[in-house]
Amino acid sequence: MDAYKGYHQIQMAEEDEEKTAFHTSQGVFCYTKMPFGLKNAGATYQRLVDAAFEKQVGRNLEVYVDDLVIKSHTEEEIVRDIEETFNTLRKINMKLNPKKCTFGATEGMFLGYLIEPDGIKACPDKTDAVVQLPSPRTLKEAQSLNGKLAGLNRFLSKSADKSLPLFKTLKKCVKKGDFRWTTEAEEAFMQLKQAIASLPKLVAPQPGEELIVYLSATHGAISAVLLTDRNSVQTPVYFVSKALRKTEINYTAMEKLVLALVFAAKRLRRYFQAHPIAVITDQPIKQVISTPEASGRLRKWSVLLGEYNISYRPRTANKGQILADFIVEKPEEEPVPPINKGTLEQPWILFTDGSSCTDGSGAGLILTNPEGMEFTYALRFEFTATNNEAEYEALLAGLRIANRMGVRNLEANVDSHLVANHVLGEYIAKEENMIQYLAKAKALIQDFDRFTIKQVPRGENKKADALSKIASTSFAHLSKQVLVEMLKDKSISESEVATVTEEVEPTWMTPIIEFINEGNLPQDKNEARRIRRLAQRFEVRDGILYRRSFLQPWLRCVGPLQANYVLREIHEGSCSMHSGPRSVVARALRSGYYWPTMHHDARELIKKCHDCQIHRPIPRRPQHELSPITTPWPFYKWGIDIAGPFPAAAGGLKFLIVVVDYFTKWIEAKAVATITGNQVKRFVWDNIVCRFGLPGEIISDNGKQFRDNPFKDWCEQLHIKQHFASVTHPQTNGQVERANRSLGEGMKARLDKHKGRWVDELSHVLWAHRTTIKVSNGDTPFSLVYGTEAVIPAEIGMPTIRTAEINVATNDDDRRVDLDLLEERRERAAIREEKSKSKMKGYYDARVRHLSFRPGDFVYRQNDSSRVEDTGKLGPKWEGPYEVIESLGKGAYKLRDTNGQELQRTWNVGNLKRCYL
């Protein structure tokens, strides 16, 4: 079907109509429907049809711009599909051109291809044009021929390889006169005509169907064919081919073959993403791209191919004539013999002998390959060993070396009857060390495909015997061609370390190892794709998984238990300094370990490390919002504290009891010789109750003068509510703490060398504070208490208007007016103070790093506050842990120790830190 004037059926946006304006003799006009000439008209139309037929495309409809093809299997289905398509066309108001529409056709042309029920053929007009084309005589005719061939590449097997002679005629043709049509090009053109005359029919793959890929690489081109196997017949889906560049021609034959697979994956990306791919080849492509010694470009290609679900299978009998071009995968000049895994290699011969004497112990071994080349090896033991233990150590060393050299078939010869008969099972090992040596030997023997051992006379083992005797005394007489090693510990002691970090359950490495060794993948497609992608950077060696690294060639992969052991050893082991997570992870990587959650695991481990927690720096930023203290009226809420000791004054006065009213900022203070509960009680009665009335609340620290009797009982009798600050958190009673500091600074400034006269200066400093304007409320404490400002000595020495023009007759009335206006003055002061506190709270809270606890959480206390542990230079900054049993609000908590004993006092969040167990 074909849309009728398709572009003109799309309405232009009203704001864009003027952009299509044009002049005519009748006036200026613009388009209201999208014209053909716009640059993005085709893309806009394609987006329209893609959105309109979104539910049908790929299922029963294919659409390209204004061409639509409905595809159905039966007559009933086509009627249903046509009805569905027409309903969509009516919905978007799109019209069809009936002259270009055909219904019920079993075959037809679409996008230059002949579509048939059983496949896709090349357009006959295109093939006839090439077959009937005469040989090119000019450069333009040769270029036209290449263009025609490019349209048939999908159907033509190894098109680039067959067209190479044609490409050579176009090289270095700068001018038309440079063109030369060669005999080689003529022969290639005739072969192409024969191939094009009988192009194969291509089929479309079914959803999820496995597709087969055959590869071919010649000196100048690479090719691939994508097929599907139906009814035991392989039919082509797509042919791809590429002529190699100058640098690519120098690739090895195997690299060209891998490049062919990479090119096919890029060119046929849709097929590779939607279908499992089986590469049929006799070449070891998988081993080449996954080997650790692979070149840079092979590693790059390995990562690229890891995105797809690709499996590799050996070549079997060809099931289609179309594969004749792909029988030879690689150039004949570089044949690679196929790897026959079923044939066991020739055996390697191992001779071992151990020696023990008073001068020391040692071992010697000789390993001979099937070609007769000998490898000599000598060991000297730095531990005491019996003769039987030395024989076992020699055998174990030989087994380890042979295994690392990739030997699969080994024949061992020893001169010890005991060792040979132990391994053969004829003797029973009874001693504990012999049992362990035998178990170690059997474990190493399991790595070989075939292993035999026999006892030989000492005369047939002279070389190994001589090596062992020399090694047991000194290495000085050994030839430089002999490999030597110092063995510090017995082989059976290694198992004690290995058992500590043995993984039992499946880990994150299990699916990767299974995929690399056996090709097994999870059922879930997304997970399988992830495993294939990850496996490109991993390699299994001696049963251990390694990962390619940017820092080192290979990193050993470890499971959760092994990772925990590595982190603990690096973080808190003998050669550690309790570093941070990034430093620990970097050290683990440089030591050669890897697992996916390295940084997360290191951060969690360090977060729970007790030593790191108790020595962690104390945070300086506030951890809870500021809680301003407010009072409803004057003299209701007071703060009380004890300052001192000061230098002894007359009467032995050394301490100062200070109280401050939170509303008026009025300060009362009294010097005392001792600080007892009775002294505090008498002070509050004389200086607060008798002057300003009973207070409602008193805030103090946790001193026993305030918490214990008689002051506690006296407050309860008068219904005075007591509030106590948290331990070492004087900010709770900050008003009186600030008053203490101000009084001390004021008295210190007034004193000279006579420090004992501080009591005489106290009244002067108190008077100065009471008559000083406070920034928070803009008034003096005196004015908020008495309704007027006090007369200061300066006004007597130098009179002001207030003192010079005082009216004694009306002074009493003026004072009474001031008292009537006192409430208004206090209200204004309260409003200003609230505004000041709000501004201060905003500034303070902006720096807060929120921290809170719930009952059941464990915390540490600051050691400087609790003084439980040594507070010296090397002492801990925190001590604990303690359990939170109650949250009192405003950052205060009640705690209990690990023995269940509740702490008497409350603790503020500023002195606490979360404990991770």
Side-chain angles (χ1 to χ4, degrees), residues 188-209:
F189 184 41
M190 292 297 108
Q191 293 178 1
L192 282 171
K193 284 186 176 182
Q194 295 177 3
I196 291 174
S198 57
L199 289 177
K201 182 184 295 184
L202 306 182
V203 298
Q206 301 295 331
E209 183 180 16

Side-chain angles (χ1 to χ4, degrees), residues 86-124:
F86 280 7
N87 290 335
T88 304
L89 291 171
R90 292 189 188 98
K91 186 183 299 183
I92 63 175
N93 196 26
M94 180 178 288
K95 305 297 188 296
L96 298 177
N97 186 356
K99 295 182 180 179
K100 296 184 179 180
C101 294
T102 304
F103 299 95
T106 57
E107 62 180 42
M109 295 295 300
F110 182 64
L111 301 179
Y113 299 104
L114 179 61
I115 310 300
E116 295 183 349
D118 56 346
I120 305 171
K121 283 187 174 182
C123 177

Side-chain angles (χ1 to χ4, degrees), residues 597-626:
T597 56
M598 297 184 71
H599 196 272
H600 175 269
D601 293 347
R603 190 169 58 248
E604 291 297 317
L605 175 70
I606 295 173
K607 184 170 68 174
K608 297 178 181 180
C609 176
H610 175 73
D611 294 329
C612 290
Q613 293 186 83
I614 64 175
H615 291 284
R616 189 159 296 167
I618 299 174
R620 299 304 176 188
R621 296 180 61 177
Q623 297 179 331
H624 195 274
E625 296 87 350
L626 186 65

Side-chain angles (χ1 to χ4, degrees), residues 116 344 373 423 430 544 639 647 726 728 764 797 833 875 895:
E116 295 183 349
L344 195 64
M373 182 180 294
V423 177
K430 296 182 179 180
I544 300 176
S726 297
T728 64
H764 301 287
E833 182 163 359
L895 311 176

Side-chain angles (χ1 to χ4, degrees), residues 2 30 191 263 339 488 625 705:
D2 186 76
C30 66
Q191 293 178 1
F263 174 70
I339 299 175
K488 295 183 178 181
E625 296 87 350
Q705 301 87 355

